Amino acid sequence: MHLSRPFQLYGAGITDTEDLQPMKETLTRNETFESRNLYIKASGSVKRGNFQSGKCYLEDAVKIAPENPFYLSLLGLCMAKKGFLSRGKALCSKAVSLAPDICECYVNLGRVLLEEDRREEARTVFLKAYRIDRRNVEVALELSRMGIRRSPVLPFLPRGNKLNILLGRLRHSFRNWIKRT
């Protein structure tokens, strides 16, 4: 692509070559303007909840830049949301191994783990992401959605013990009853 003439990078609102300089500097190895454009479209689709079109854009972007952790991670999330949980988890895990210092990769891996109903692992992954970037809003939102777990009623028994579960439900019901009265 010739950079001397203006062009529209769809989804980013970039129409002039001066605007391209910061983006050009942030392009990673094996990444092109075309793959970045596809990624921008995909992330917009994912934010709107359209995981199918996001998946299509990201599959094309991954063909161009197969080792980009951002693309792999978001593609893994799209795959998981479309029902391909093991493939989605594998893609997100690969993204985390490629870029262990990028918070967004951990966030998407945690979301995939939540899709698999693996809350404990997801919490661990979100906490790793939080340690990397304490100002990341998405990590804070995911952790707050998961809620704060109270300690078990009987701490000497495992959390999954039937007696602990029963007593925990009773404690919860009792606290709700107290709040209502």
Side-chain angles (χ1 to χ4, degrees), residues 68-101:
N68 187 303
F70 292 102
Y71 302 173
L72 293 172
S73 178
L74 195 57
L75 178 59
L77 178 64
C78 290
M79 296 288 262
K81 291 285 189 179
K82 296 308 291 176
F84 304 103
L85 295 173
S86 60
R87 178 80 174 125
K89 184 180 176 192
L91 286 168
C92 286
S93 297
K94 182 178 179 183
V96 165
S97 67
L98 287 172
D101 57 335

Side-chain angles (χ1 to χ4, degrees), residues 114-132:
L114 283 176
E115 285 290 314
E116 292 180 334
D117 289 329
R118 298 167 71 177
R119 291 180 54 85
E120 287 298 318
E121 287 180 59
R123 177 174 289 286
T124 304
V125 169
F126 287 135
L127 289 173
K128 280 183 188 175
Y130 188 69
R131 273 185 247 123
I132 292 170

Side-chain angles (χ1 to χ4, degrees), residues 4-141:
S4 63
R5 68 176 203 272
F7 68 96
Q8 175 69 36
L9 188 61
Y10 297 103
I14 296 174
T15 56
D16 200 1
T17 54
E18 293 93 37
D19 295 335
L20 287 174
Q21 194 57 36
M23 180 176 265
K24 184 179 176 186
E25 292 170 2
T26 62
L27 288 176
T28 61
R29 185 172 39 97
N30 298 331
E31 187 179 29
T32 64
F33 284 109
E34 182 183 1
S35 65
R36 174 68 67 94
N37 192 12
L38 290 167
Y39 175 75
I40 291 169
K41 289 179 183 179
S43 56
S45 295
V46 168
K47 285 179 184 171
R48 288 188 301 276
N50 189 351
F51 295 101
Q52 181 61 41
S53 72
K55 181 174 140 319
C56 293
Y57 288 131
L58 287 164
E59 285 173 341
D60 291 340
V62 167
K63 287 177 187 172
I64 298 168
E67 297 296 314
N68 187 303
F70 292 102
Y71 302 173
L72 293 172
S73 178
L74 195 57
L75 178 59
L77 178 64
C78 290
M79 296 288 262
K81 291 285 189 179
K82 296 308 291 176
F84 304 103
L85 295 173
S86 60
R87 178 80 174 125
K89 184 180 176 192
L91 286 168
C92 286
S93 297
K94 182 178 179 183
V96 165
S97 67
L98 287 172
D101 57 335
I102 296 177
C103 183
E104 288 79 11
C105 295
Y106 285 100
V107 171
N108 288 335
L109 178 59
R111 289 175 177 162
V112 169
L113 290 170
L114 283 176
E115 285 290 314
E116 292 180 334
D117 289 329
R118 298 167 71 177
R119 291 180 54 85
E120 287 298 318
E121 287 180 59
R123 177 174 289 286
T124 304
V125 169
F126 287 135
L127 289 173
K128 280 183 188 175
Y130 188 69
R131 273 185 247 123
I132 292 170
D133 184 5
R134 292 186 183 274
R135 292 180 290 176
N136 189 304
V137 176
E138 291 183 13
V139 176
L141 282 174

